[in-house]
């Protein structure tokens, strides 16, 4: 692959420079305040849901077990990117070390992939609860729930270790300006001065396995859920059945909507700004709204 004009082949160097907010330097104070408030809301809201579902014995069901783990994932997911962004505003310095960028990218894609699998498991849980309400405790016993959760981590961890290693063993151009708010696979690959074809193949294979396949399972689950709900004779019964899964459906649409555009849309210079702001949606906005969505749509949560 030919090198870009004026740039020399370079490997790790001193790291990368995140230029996500470089166009809004005059609004740094406002951006810092908004992001700090969002981060505090994410931490508070998701921590409260996790705490309530542990303390309240009436919420010790599979649905709330998965919701508690989703809240934990959201806290970790947001903590991968937001603290670094806040520090960058305070110090007016967007630099991130080579290893720091690799760690940020790894945990971002790791937690994102696990969340996709967890959302699919939660859809299956809602399907069983609506389709087989009498056998639900037996079919979704605690041992199975734990195995599904652990299996998600076991399946994702080694794959994302391999992808991160493969990305950061590439040679990079001397200019390490990353036009993004954080280190993610597509913008980092754009700085490589080697052929990234197989990296792209691996990226889209991982998206297929850990994002599109789980989403397909979610769609299938909801098709069956809707069919089951339509067979319920009473309007009140249909409304009650749908309300048990409406929160999850809203979170799925919010999370997958922006993430799909970012990862599957053909990247171009005109789409860089659009993609980086959409990335904020699924990494920051979605974790902030999840507790609100579940609290408003679920009468069992205070």
């Amino acid at each position: 692959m030919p090198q870009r004009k004026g740039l020399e082949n370079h490997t790790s160097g001193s790291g990368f420079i995140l230029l996500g907010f470089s166009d809004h330097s005059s609004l740094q104070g406002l951006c810092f305040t908004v992001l700090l408030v969002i981060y505090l809301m994410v931490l508070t809201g998701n921590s409260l849901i996790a705490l309530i579902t542990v303390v309240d014995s009436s919420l010790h069901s599979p649905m709330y077990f998965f919701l508690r783990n989703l809240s934990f994932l959201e806290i970790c997911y947001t903590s991968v990117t937001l603290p670094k962004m806040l520090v960058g505003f305070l110090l007016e310095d967007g630099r991130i070390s080579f290893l720091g960028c690799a760690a940020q990218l790894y945990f971002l894609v790791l937690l994102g992939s696990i969340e996709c699998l967890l959302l699919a498991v939660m859809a299956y849980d809602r399907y069983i609860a609506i389709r087989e309400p009498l056998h639900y405790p037996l079919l979704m016993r605690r041992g199975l729930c734990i195995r599904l959760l652990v299996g998600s981590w076991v399946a994702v961890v080694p794959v994302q270790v391999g992808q991160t290693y493969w990305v950061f063993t590439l040679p990079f151009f001397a200019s390490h300006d990353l036009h993004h708010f954080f280190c993610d696979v597509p913008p980092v690959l754009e700085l490589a001065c080697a052929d990234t074809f197989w990296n792209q193949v691996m990226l889209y294979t991982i998206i297929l396995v850990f994002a599109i396949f789980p989403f397909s399972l979610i769609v299938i689950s909801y098709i069956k859920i809707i069919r089951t709900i339509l067979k319920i004779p009473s309007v009140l019964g249909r409304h009650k059945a749908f309300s048990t899964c409406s929160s999850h459906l809203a979170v799925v649409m919010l999370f997958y909507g922006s993430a799909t555009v970012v990862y599957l849309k053909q990247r171009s210079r005109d789409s860089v700004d659009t993609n980086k702001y959409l990335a904020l949606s699924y990494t920051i906005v979605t974790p902030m709204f999840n507790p609100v969505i579940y609290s408003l749509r679920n009468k069992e949560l205070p």
Side-chain angles (χ1 to χ4, degrees):
M1 178 178 178
Q3 294 184 10
R4 299 173 191 171
K5 185 177 181 180
L7 295 180
E8 58 180 295
N9 191 332
H10 195 60
T11 52
S12 61
S14 58
F16 299 89
I17 301 177
L18 300 171
L19 300 177
F21 289 104
S22 60
D23 297 333
H24 308 285
S25 56
S26 60
L27 300 175
Q28 284 199 3
L30 177 62
C31 292
F32 174 82
T33 303
V34 171
L35 290 178
L36 179 60
V37 170
I38 290 176
Y39 190 43
L40 292 176
M41 289 177 65
V42 170
L43 294 179
T44 303
N46 286 285
S47 296
L48 282 175
I49 284 186
L51 179 62
I52 291 170
T53 56
V54 169
V55 173
D56 192 340
S57 58
S58 65
L59 302 180
H60 290 179
S61 65
M63 180 177 74
Y64 293 105
F65 170 79
F66 293 126
L67 178 57
R68 180 164 63 251
N69 282 278
L70 178 63
S71 296
F72 171 74
L73 273 180
E74 298 290 34
I75 292 173
C76 297
Y77 196 49
T78 310
S79 297
V80 170
T81 57
L82 257 179
K84 175 60 182 175
M85 292 165 62
L86 291 171
V87 171
F89 278 121
L90 280 178
L91 302 180
E92 297 185 0
D93 185 0
R95 288 178 296 179
I96 183 171
S97 68
F98 190 78
L99 291 178
C101 186
Q104 189 179 69
L105 183 147
Y106 169 70
F107 285 108
L108 184 73
V109 294
L110 170 72
L111 296 169
S113 298
I114 293 173
E115 181 162 344
C116 290
L117 295 177
L118 183 57
L119 289 173
V121 170
M122 293 174 75
Y124 174 73
D125 170 74
R126 291 299 81 209
Y127 166 69
I128 295 297
I130 294 173
R131 182 69 181 269
E132 302 287 347
L134 298 178
H135 299 95
Y136 175 68
L138 179 63
L139 294 174
M140 293 300 295
R141 55 194 181 278
R142 185 170 180 79
L144 175 62
C145 295
I146 293 175
R147 286 195 295 272
L148 288 171
L149 182 65
V150 173
S152 299
W153 283 84
V154 171
V156 174
V157 168
V159 174
Q160 296 299 2
V161 167
Q163 176 175 234
T164 305
Y165 174 80
W166 206 2
V167 168
F168 284 90
T169 51
L170 289 170
F172 293 96
F173 288 107
S175 176
H176 284 186
D177 292 346
L178 200 64
H179 294 277
H180 212 281
F181 300 111
F182 48 81
C183 294
D184 201 358
V185 179
V188 171
L189 286 180
E190 289 182 355
L191 298 182
C193 57
D195 187 359
T196 61
F197 173 78
W198 290 110
N199 295 89
Q200 298 284 353
V201 169
M202 185 176 189
L203 172 62
Y204 286 110
T205 301
I206 290 173
I207 291 174
L208 176 65
V209 174
F210 294 119
I212 297 178
F213 178 67
F215 182 73
S216 300
L217 295 180
I218 292 172
V219 171
I220 293 171
S221 296
Y222 273 103
I223 290 174
K224 294 185 177 182
I225 286 172
I226 292 172
R227 287 178 178 174
T228 303
I229 291 176
L230 292 177
K231 293 178 182 179
I232 299 175
S234 68
V235 176
L236 181 61
R238 290 197 296 269
H239 176 74
K240 184 178 180 181
F242 182 75
S243 66
T244 64
C245 57
S246 58
S247 300
H248 174 262
L249 184 58
V251 170
V252 168
M253 293 174 64
L254 191 60
F255 178 79
Y256 269 97
S258 53
T260 299
V261 175
V262 172
Y263 280 94
L264 298 185
K265 180 182 177 183
Q266 182 67 35
R267 297 182 65 84
S268 65
R269 290 184 178 180
D270 295 334
S271 69
V272 170
D273 286 340
T274 301
N275 287 348
K276 72 180 184 181
Y277 286 113
L278 284 171
L280 284 182
S281 176
Y282 67 83
T283 56
I284 296 176
V285 178
T286 301
M288 178 183 67
F289 280 114
N290 279 3
V292 178
I293 292 172
Y294 275 100
S295 297
L296 289 178
R297 301 295 301 172
N298 197 320
K299 295 180 180 179
E300 293 179 308
L301 288 173

